[in-house]
Amino acid sequence: MPVEPRGRLGKTSTGFSLIELIVTIVVTAIALTALGVGLLTASRNSADPIVSMRAATLAQAYLDEILSKRFDENNASGGVTRCGETGQPACTVTLGAEAGETRANYDDVDDYHGLNESPPINALGTAQSNYDGFRVQISVGYAGSDFNAGFGLLQPALKKITVTVTAPIGGSFVFAAYRGNF
């Protein structure tokens, strides 16, 4: 039996050629790049539920404050008399704070119309440091026509309060509530 010289491989050689090795490295690099991009996108989107929850909490705080106020400037405190009733003053037409009013002494729902705060301020007048970068915008308008078809409400019977919270990473969250004149 002849012995093969040392260092010479036969036809049953195991291993990779240089071309196979380069192709494997390129395919692996492409796959890892795609995986990295996917993980980066997922990590960016993972903050969305947290930001949404913080925006909802912030909007709820504003809505709680606003809804605790009386319906209109011409309503008596305690709801004994309502604007627009027979023998009572009409509901105000101009929405927004009356001359000289500041948020500390807002007394009715539509005083908040046009409020735009960044950073948000709580009901006590202090900035909410845990909401840096958030913006809160409030719009108030008569909304009786929103329910007119089913309930026959008159235009000044409801006010719609819309709170828009803009997050620091972009995106706006819109929340709304209704306050009735009853």
Side-chain angles (χ1 to χ4, degrees), residues 58 116-120 131-137 164-168:
L58 184 59
N116 186 348
E117 295 180 334
S118 181
Y131 286 99
D132 289 337
F134 281 81
R135 174 174 297 285
V136 176
Q137 297 168 301
T164 304
V165 178
T166 305

Side-chain angles (χ1 to χ4, degrees), residues 5-139:
R6 206 168 225 194
R8 189 163 182 234
L9 296 174
K11 292 183 179 180
T12 59
S13 165
T14 58
F16 297 102
S17 70
L18 182 59
I19 293 176
E20 290 172 328
L21 191 57
I22 291 173
V23 168
T24 303
I25 291 172
V26 169
V27 168
T28 304
I30 291 171
L32 288 176
T33 302
L35 181 64
V37 168
L39 288 175
L40 181 64
T41 302
S43 69
R44 282 186 189 153
N45 293 338
S46 69
D48 287 348
I50 295 168
V51 171
S52 298
M53 183 55 103
R54 291 185 73 207
T57 302
L58 184 59
Q60 186 63 53
Y62 274 85
L63 286 171
D64 288 346
E65 177 185 345
I66 296 167
L67 292 172
S68 70
K69 307 298 182 186
R70 62 186 175 184
F71 177 79
D72 195 82
E73 187 68 30
N74 292 331
N75 283 19
S77 295
V80 177
T81 59
R82 302 179 302 181
C83 64
E85 283 187 334
T86 305
Q88 299 301 322
C91 296
T92 55
V93 177
T94 305
L95 302 175
E98 285 73 35
E101 278 189 327
T102 62
R103 182 161 171 210
N105 58 6
Y106 284 174
D107 58 353
D108 61 284
V109 170
D110 66 73
D111 286 346
Y112 291 86
H113 180 68
L115 187 68
N116 186 348
E117 295 180 334
S118 181
I121 298 173
N122 65 20
L124 301 174
T126 56
Q128 298 187 31
S129 61
N130 52 342
Y131 286 99
D132 289 337
F134 281 81
R135 174 174 297 285
V136 176
Q137 297 168 301
I138 299 173
S139 172

